[in-house]
Amino acid sequence: MSDRAGIFAGEDPFVIAQQWLASAAQTEPSDPNAIALATVDAAGLPNVRMVLLKEIEPEAFVFYTNYEGRKAVEIDASGKAAFVMHWKSLARQVRVRGLVTRENGPVADAYYATRSLPSRIGAWASRQSQPLESRSTLMAEVAKKTLQLGPNPARPPYWGGFRITPLEIEFWADGAFRLHDRFRWSRETKDDNWKITRLSP
């Protein structure tokens, strides 16, 4: 595709996404790796929330969460999710739709170990998405878990990662007069070759 040059150039969409994220890390005031993650419930009603993308692997995008929270329950039921990363400072976005599997092994253990101790304790103390009587109830549970678990808590069995293997990735960049540049990488299955299509603004 001869006109796919500049910030869109490259033969690997994951490398392009990594490059865009690296650029955003220099310009975004906070959380350049924030994504709006969309799932659907059993009735097909969408849910969307902000989470932090933790890694762009050679074939997937990875984030971590509580497996008992609503997003995880919906992902496990459908095996699918979508997200968008938007960087106002760059006037760019990346949209991803794909299949989701758990990352519940040594990779998740290694990431959990890099988190600050309060964040690791918080993963034990919070019953994500469940009703909470009060903030003081939560903080009491944090204090209790801090005493119980000590300075090096193991990863909770109900906390880990999700790996999104995309079937579609769209790169979008702002254009003058709302004539934006959009390129969609798509494939029918995760084993197929990518088809690259320029889209109208």
Side-chain angles (χ1 to χ4, degrees), residues 117-131:
L117 179 57
S119 293
R120 283 179 281 162
I121 295 294
W124 280 97
S126 173
R127 298 177 62 228
Q128 193 175 84
S129 301
Q130 301 303 310

Side-chain angles (χ1 to χ4, degrees), residues 156-171:
Y158 50 80
W159 190 97
F162 280 111
R163 180 176 283 107
I164 302 176
T165 300
L167 299 179
E168 185 176 302
I169 306 175
E170 181 186 325
F171 296 94

Side-chain angles (χ1 to χ4, degrees), residues 90-127:
L90 297 178
R92 298 182 205 169
Q93 59 182 312
V94 178
R95 296 177 59 240
V96 172
R97 303 170 70 217
L99 310 176
V100 189
T101 55
R102 286 192 179 193
E103 172 45 71
N104 198 26
V107 173
D109 291 335
Y111 169 68
Y112 180 79
T114 69
R115 290 163 60 95
S116 69
L117 179 57
S119 293
R120 283 179 281 162
I121 295 294
W124 280 97
S126 173
R127 298 177 62 228

Side-chain angles (χ1 to χ4, degrees), residues 25-180:
Q26 305 303 312
T27 60
E28 283 295 294
S30 64
D31 295 332
N33 60 327
I35 62 175
L37 177 74
T39 58
V40 294
D41 66 15
L45 190 65
N47 271 311
V48 65
R49 76 289 284 166
M50 302 303 296
V51 302
L52 296 180
L53 183 71
K54 288 302 178 180
E55 188 170 3
I56 302 177
E57 296 182 339
E59 286 290 332
F61 299 86
V62 182
F63 68 94
Y64 293 87
T65 191
N66 187 313
Y67 288 144
E68 296 176 350
R70 178 176 290 186
K71 75 174 83 64
V73 170
E74 292 177 355
I75 287 172
D76 284 338
S78 70
K80 301 169 185 173
F83 72 79
V84 60
M85 285 188 286
H86 174 249
W87 302 293
K88 194 170 184 178
S89 61
L90 297 178
R92 298 182 205 169
Q93 59 182 312
V94 178
R95 296 177 59 240
V96 172
R97 303 170 70 217
L99 310 176
V100 189
T101 55
R102 286 192 179 193
E103 172 45 71
N104 198 26
V107 173
D109 291 335
Y111 169 68
Y112 180 79
T114 69
R115 290 163 60 95
S116 69
L117 179 57
S119 293
R120 283 179 281 162
I121 295 294
W124 280 97
S126 173
R127 298 177 62 228
Q128 193 175 84
S129 301
Q130 301 303 310
L132 179 64
E133 181 179 337
S134 66
R135 177 77 180 182
S136 61
T137 300
L138 174 62
M139 299 316 294
E141 186 66 17
V142 168
K144 176 182 173 183
K145 293 298 184 184
T146 299
L147 290 174
Q148 286 180 345
L149 298 171
N152 190 28
R155 178 172 61 90
Y158 50 80
W159 190 97
F162 280 111
R163 180 176 283 107
I164 302 176
T165 300
L167 299 179
E168 185 176 302
I169 306 175
E170 181 186 325
F171 296 94
W172 179 102
D174 184 57
F177 310 110
R178 304 196 65 78
L179 298 177
H180 313 304

